[in-house]
Amino acid sequence: MGAPREHFSSKLGFILAAAGSAVGIGNIVGFPVNAAKNGGGAFLLMYAIFVFAICLPVMMAEMSVGRKTAKNPVGAYGALAGQNSKWRLAGLLSIITPFMIAVFYTVLTIWIFIYLVMTVAGQLDYLASADGFSEIINSPWLFASMVAVGGVVAFILKAGVKQGIERAAKIMMPALFVMLILLVIFVLTLDNAMAGLQFYLVPDLDKITPSVISGALSQAFFSLSLGMGILITYGSYISNKTDIEESAKLVAITDTSVAFIAGLMILPAIFSFNPEVNTEELSDSSVSMIFVFLPKIFLALQASVGYFLASAIASVFFLLVFFAAITSLVSIIEVPVSYLIDEKGHDRKKALATIFIWGGLLAVLSTLSFGMVDWLTSLTSYGSGTKSLFDVIYDMFYDTILPLNGLLICLFVSFRWKKHNLNAELSEGNPSYGKSFLAKYVDFSLGTFIPFILAAIFINTVAKIYFGYDVFS
Ligand code: TRP
């Protein structure tokens, strides 16, 4: 046995780290745009209900499995189901999935870092120009940026759970929050800000269709870091004194609040840029919003505040997104790292080196799949057409396998580990848990409608992505 397992130093440290994992690029642009386009206040309300009614029990289950076993996902499934159990495969899926998600998320983080550096260097006008984005995703600077991003993540993870992950979250999360609030205050003073707020918040029930509902649920699920093995892993670093119910609620509230507040910045900014904006055309994709659309908005600010201040504001924004991305990246890479440490007996350094070599290689290949190398760019074709290596990784792991992992953990906890064990674990650090309404709700929902819903999402995603058939539309 190696050194004793490290722990977060406090409940707050754990909550910030888990919230840091959950808050990512999707919260800052994906959620606001999606909400605004798909029913405003009605979408927000529905999303909040999904977070608490469907995602919270899954989150509590993942954290409990992690804490009970004090192991990575493979070790955790093995410890509870037996070392030869097929459930270990579910654990393995919870190692491979985050590893592959880390690959595509690294690519996005590399772009963000380039945008950050360029806005700080006064190149906002270039980023806002027509070819800015397409040139950047094919430039040699990507590799320098990859080294920088890899360096930051390695620096954090090498320092371990308390000195690395927790400390980074304790610095970056409050900073992120302050930057977000400052940007909101600034944006709300712009002309036409109120039109943006109205578009964001006024409920429009007509827009709530079955496909919007299923989209909102998937988004809530992904946003909270569920199905990625992250909360099992982070849960393995908390003590029995930590109240899991309360921690999970605070993580869910933080993640949802950041997403909500980001909308108070993004939508007014869009409307002040162009009050006549054709909202149908606002892209559904966070990627084109962040990298193509928002730089134009920041540049347009120069008319009222000058180029220098516009660049400063854009820099703050990209720093905020960069922090959000780094804390997510750290959490997701920690999953395979903890697997190598627990199961293969590596020390932290060797585990990190292994993951960085293989993950780095795949990240380089994904980076090359935006046009630099032809066969990676048109690797294969299914569903909506030609797919690059990056698309394949995204479709397979982020879209398809995540809900499957969520489904597996629900079934595992309900029917293999058994709910009385879950209840007992949740009562550690929270003696009155067993008698609460939530306990009864979690007990019932985890083995009934939650897995059913996740299975439906999984099947619909497979049909949609690979066969071009959407059950809900
Ligand atoms: N909320 C994240 C986002 O909006 C999604 C996410 C959750 C994530 N956990 C993650 C992404 C871990 C990467 C790694 O982008």
Side-chain angles (χ1 to χ4, degrees):
M1 285 304 287
R5 198 172 193 76
E6 260 200 278
H7 283 97
F8 289 111
S9 67
S10 64
K11 187 169 70 187
L12 178 69
F14 167 59
I15 293 169
L16 284 177
S21 168
V23 171
I25 298 170
N27 295 63
I28 295 170
V29 276
F31 175 85
V33 173
N34 220 337
K37 285 177 66 166
N38 292 317
F43 183 98
L44 298 175
L45 184 66
M46 179 173 75
Y47 182 89
I49 292 174
F50 286 158
V51 164
F52 287 93
I54 297 183
C55 299
L56 187 71
V58 183
M59 192 192 276
M60 289 164 57
E62 289 199 20
M63 290 176 177
S64 303
V65 165
R67 184 174 70 181
K68 174 73 195 173
T69 58
K71 287 201 160 58
N72 70 93
V74 169
Y77 273 100
L80 297 176
Q83 293 306 326
N84 296 320
S85 163
K86 292 215 174 45
W87 281 109
R88 274 174 67 96
L89 289 175
L92 207 55
L93 210 50
S94 292
I95 304 292
I96 297 170
T97 311
F99 177 76
M100 296 305 284
I101 292 178
V103 169
F104 95 76
Y105 216 72
T106 299
V107 177
L108 298 185
T109 310
I110 290 168
W111 296 346
I112 289 173
F113 184 70
I114 293 190
Y115 271 59
L116 172 60
V117 171
M118 291 189 78
T119 42
V120 170
Q123 305 275 343
L124 180 61
D125 48 357
Y126 174 74
L127 297 177
S129 68
D131 295 328
F133 180 58
S134 54
E135 284 177 20
I136 284 173
I137 62 175
N138 285 303
S139 85
W141 288 106
L142 291 168
F143 301 99
S145 175
M146 189 178 297
V147 172
V149 168
V152 173
V153 173
F155 178 76
I156 295 172
L157 283 177
K158 195 168 160 295
V161 175
K162 208 180 296 180
Q163 294 300 322
I165 298 174
E166 178 173 338
R167 199 144 61 126
K170 278 185 167 162
I171 298 170
M172 289 182 176
M173 291 306 287
L176 181 152
F177 209 72
V178 170
M179 288 190 277
L180 184 60
I181 298 293
L182 289 177
L183 287 174
V184 169
I185 294 173
F186 172 76
V187 165
L188 289 180
T189 62
L190 298 174
D191 292 342
N192 287 311
M194 289 311 136
L197 277 191
Q198 196 173 4
F199 179 62
Y200 180 39
L201 299 174
V202 173
D204 181 355
L205 277 175
D206 290 346
K207 295 234 176 87
I208 305 287
T209 61
S211 114
V212 167
I213 296 174
S214 92
L217 179 56
S218 311
Q219 173 146 8
F221 192 81
F222 299 156
S223 184
L224 291 169
S225 291
L226 302 177
M228 305 187 189
I230 293 174
L231 297 173
I232 299 180
T233 307
Y234 276 14
S236 76
Y237 302 137
I238 55 178
S239 79
N240 282 347
K241 290 195 218 66
T242 307
D243 178 348
I244 291 186
E245 174 195 341
E246 182 195 21
S247 309
K249 280 183 182 159
L250 285 168
V251 172
I253 290 172
T254 309
D255 185 62
T256 308
S257 312
V258 169
F260 173 74
I261 296 171
L264 302 178
M265 154 180 84
I266 302 283
L267 277 313
I270 293 174
F271 274 77
S272 111
F273 169 61
N274 174 11
E276 307 299 318
V277 62
N278 176 357
T279 49
E280 290 297 313
E281 278 171 15
L282 288 182
S283 170
D284 278 329
S285 122
S286 309
V287 168
S288 62
M289 281 303 293
I290 287 202
F291 296 107
V292 180
F293 197 70
L294 289 180
K296 294 197 176 76
I297 293 187
F298 289 125
L299 187 64
L301 286 177
Q302 68 176 340
S304 47
V305 299
Y307 187 71
F308 182 80
L309 200 54
S311 301
I313 289 161
S315 308
V316 172
F317 176 78
F318 285 112
L319 184 63
L320 183 161
V321 180
F322 182 65
F323 279 5
I326 287 288
T327 46
S328 299
L329 203 49
V330 160
S331 72
I332 203 146
I333 296 178
E334 177 65 12
V335 180
V337 166
S338 75
Y339 164 75
L340 291 178
I341 295 176
D342 293 349
E343 307 299 314
K344 304 285 168 202
H346 289 14
D347 60 18
R348 188 164 265 281
K349 217 158 117 195
K350 183 165 170 208
L352 277 170
T354 309
I355 297 299
F356 271 69
I357 289 169
W358 292 107
L361 190 69
L362 280 171
V364 168
L365 294 177
S366 305
T367 301
L368 295 173
S369 79
F370 286 87
M372 279 190 267
V373 173
D374 283 341
W375 70 270
L376 291 168
T377 307
S378 30
L379 186 64
T380 173
S381 159
Y382 54 80
S384 57
T386 312
K387 303 281 183 162
S388 67
L389 175 65
F390 181 90
D391 296 331
V392 172
I393 295 180
Y394 182 90
D395 284 350
M396 268 182 68
F397 292 94
Y398 205 57
D399 259 355
T400 313
I401 300 190
L402 274 193
L404 178 64
N405 286 343
L407 170 64
L408 290 173
I409 190 97
C410 293
L411 297 178
F412 177 72
V413 165
S414 303
F415 303 111
R416 177 67 218 227
W417 188 35
K418 298 281 168 24
K419 289 187 204 137
H420 63 269
N421 288 316
L422 173 69
N423 270 330
E425 188 57 31
L426 286 165
S427 302
E428 295 274 347
N430 180 3
S432 59
Y433 174 77
K435 290 190 266 335
S436 65
F437 168 74
L438 185 68
K440 295 195 182 64
Y441 178 76
V442 170
D443 212 86
F444 174 71
S445 60
L446 265 186
T448 51
F449 63 87
I450 295 181
F452 182 79
I453 291 171
L454 292 173
I457 293 187
F458 173 67
I459 293 167
N460 186 46
T461 311
V462 172
K464 190 166 66 184
I465 295 187
Y466 306 98
F467 301 99
Y469 178 77
D470 190 346
V471 187
F472 293 124
S473 69

